[in-house]
Amino acid sequence: MGEVDEAFIQAVEHRPKLTTTEAEGIPLINLSISNSNSIETLVEEIGDACKNWGFFQVINHGVPLENREKLELASRKFFAQATEEKLKVRRDELNPLGYYDTELTKNVRDWKEVFDLAVKNPTVIPASPEAADNGLRELVNRWPEYPSELRVAYEEYAKEMEKLAYKLLELISLSLGLPANRLSGFFNNHTSFFRLNHYPSCPIPNLALGVGRHKDGGALTILAQDDVGGLQVKRKTDGEWVQVRPTPHAYIVNVGDIIQVWSNDRYESVEHRVMVNSEKERFSMPFFLNPDHNVMVEPLEELITEQNPAKYRAYNWGKFFANRRRSNFKKLGVENIQISHFKITEESSY
């Protein structure tokens, strides 16, 4: 293996194929309303995409390209620094905001380095995952000395991304037959965060992954990626890993676990992962839309009927989030917490 740490090596059954299948059919949705594109058409397209793929891309989304480009450039400048400079804003278990380069997914190390930022500064979360602990703590963004423009670029961009996230939430709510504002009340003091990702070129692209297979625990993820590509989605129809080709200036949106629970499994959070490249580095910027820490996540009562009873027990988002974060830092030896742990089986419903 030479100098490559074995911690990066995926189990045989999860190693990527170097020949990839393009993801034909992932919906590309135009968010602008016009005579030829009514709100009804848009809502139907969003609903079909959530149901059939769990992923879609959006164009004419309203986020100024200038804001995105400023943050992308600042991100590249930050990651180009020497490691000792980046480690000055290193995150830890007490404050999971900042720089990190040894993150684990499914107990295997990812081939990447990240810089995490909260959208609300400070962001309030539970002090611990323990059910009996009612304490809270504040997460505060850490800012590097260089590049000095990173903070302003990020804060301007985050405002625009919040607007897009709320627009998408409304469309998803309408697609479920609910009022546009049905979901917005869960996000008054939301715990959303951003991640700046850098995936260096990798000498073992057939053995390692930028991010291992996973589902996103929050409500929505909105991803900006560069033109290198690498995101793969597990296609629902046949379980095949397919690659999402970058569309210039578009955003890739995926339904998270919370939308799956709220919709009572009408929409599904889909497994995805990130390939690495032996020749090129890759940059991406995902925005993770998460509700308030005290929100109890459960199927929406309007979507529950006698024929379609609730498929999940209620769980506290803040505790779920705190529990999930632990597995980013150390091997737990077991699968980290998933919504499947709250699934109501036929046996348990009697």
Side-chain angles (χ1 to χ4, degrees):
M1 294 305 304
E3 297 180 9
V4 175
D5 189 333
E6 288 190 9
F8 290 107
I9 308 302
Q10 294 284 330
V12 174
E13 64 270 26
H14 299 304
R15 290 176 189 173
K17 299 174 186 173
L18 292 186
T19 56
T20 58
T21 304
E22 286 284 335
E24 294 181 8
I26 283 191
L28 181 65
I29 298 176
N30 182 353
L31 292 184
S32 66
I33 304 297
S34 64
N35 292 335
S36 59
N37 192 37
S38 67
I39 183 68
E40 290 80 14
T41 301
L42 184 52
V43 167
E44 186 178 352
E45 288 180 349
I46 292 280
D48 288 346
C50 291
K51 182 178 179 180
N52 298 324
W53 279 95
F55 268 79
F56 55 93
Q57 299 190 71
V58 293
I59 56 173
N60 293 326
H61 40 66
V63 179
L65 181 59
E66 179 187 12
N67 291 36
R68 175 168 165 173
E69 288 178 336
K70 280 182 181 176
L71 185 57
E72 284 178 345
L73 181 57
S75 172
R76 287 173 182 267
K77 286 181 177 179
F78 172 77
F79 286 120
Q81 295 181 99
T83 301
E84 58 264 30
E85 287 300 313
K86 292 179 282 191
L87 288 174
K88 290 178 181 177
V89 285
R90 188 177 191 271
R91 76 184 202 194
D92 52 44
E93 288 193 57
L94 287 179
N95 186 1
L97 300 177
Y99 174 76
Y100 204 61
D101 63 351
T102 54
E103 187 162 276
L104 303 169
T105 301
K106 308 285 187 186
N107 293 313
V108 181
R109 187 172 167 187
D110 296 328
W111 192 277
K112 69 178 181 193
E113 53 181 347
V114 307
F115 190 82
D116 283 345
L117 294 158
V119 176
K120 287 189 176 293
N121 190 32
T123 288
V124 178
I125 66 165
S128 79
E130 308 308 324
D133 185 355
N134 295 320
L136 300 173
R137 60 191 172 109
E138 291 186 342
L139 304 184
V140 180
N141 284 330
R142 293 175 165 145
W143 299 107
E145 289 183 17
Y146 177 86
S148 58
E149 66 270 25
L150 176 64
R151 180 170 186 168
V152 171
Y154 168 71
E155 290 176 347
E156 289 177 351
Y157 182 73
K159 287 177 187 173
E160 297 296 334
M161 291 298 289
E162 271 189 291
K163 291 180 198 172
L164 174 58
Y166 292 143
K167 183 189 298 184
L168 292 168
L169 263 188
E170 289 187 354
L171 291 168
I172 288 171
S173 188
L174 289 168
S175 76
L176 290 167
L178 303 170
N181 65 353
R182 176 63 177 91
L183 304 177
S184 57
F186 297 120
F187 296 88
N188 295 321
N189 293 295
H190 58 85
T191 56
S192 307
F193 72 99
F194 261 95
R195 170 164 287 178
L196 305 178
N197 281 320
H198 175 222
Y199 302 95
S201 59
C202 176
I204 52 165
N206 59 322
L207 300 176
L209 287 166
V211 182
R213 72 199 192 285
H214 67 286
K215 297 183 178 187
D216 292 342
L220 282 179
T221 303
I222 307 173
L223 174 72
Q225 65 169 345
D226 64 14
D227 59 0
V228 174
L231 175 66
Q232 289 193 328
V233 178
K234 197 169 190 179
R235 190 163 52 197
K236 288 179 68 172
T237 53
D238 58 6
E240 180 77 17
W241 286 106
V242 293
Q243 188 136 323
V244 183
R245 180 191 301 168
T247 300
H249 314 320
Y251 286 98
I252 300 169
V253 182
N254 67 278
V255 168
D257 288 344
I258 289 176
I259 295 286
Q260 178 169 334
V261 173
W262 279 340
S263 73
N264 206 29
D265 279 354
R266 191 184 302 186
Y267 298 158
E268 184 183 350
S269 174
V270 174
E271 212 167 29
H272 51 287
R273 67 184 187 182
V274 175
M275 299 274 284
V276 284
N277 193 302
S278 61
E279 299 172 2
K280 297 178 181 178
E281 60 182 344
R282 174 179 181 260
F283 295 86
S284 71
M285 303 189 302
F287 167 55
F288 301 95
L289 180 67
N290 298 331
D292 305 354
H293 73 84
N294 57 0
V295 164
M296 296 301 294
V297 181
E298 59 189 324
L300 299 172
E301 58 184 359
E302 301 95 318
L303 303 181
I304 297 170
T305 64
E306 194 173 330
Q307 295 74 31
N308 185 35
K311 294 180 171 66
Y312 296 89
R313 303 190 314 276
Y315 64 90
N316 175 266
W317 162 248
K319 294 295 186 182
F320 183 95
F321 179 68
N323 206 323
R324 272 287 266 267
R325 299 295 283 192
R326 288 194 307 179
S327 67
N328 290 345
F329 293 92
K330 56 190 174 187
K331 286 193 178 186
L332 300 179
V334 295
E335 175 74 272
N336 65 6
I337 194 167
Q338 306 288 337
I339 57 171
S340 57
H341 294 131
F342 301 94
K343 191 90 173 178
I344 297 173
T345 62
E346 287 190 21
E347 293 78 18
S348 66
S349 61
Y350 292 101

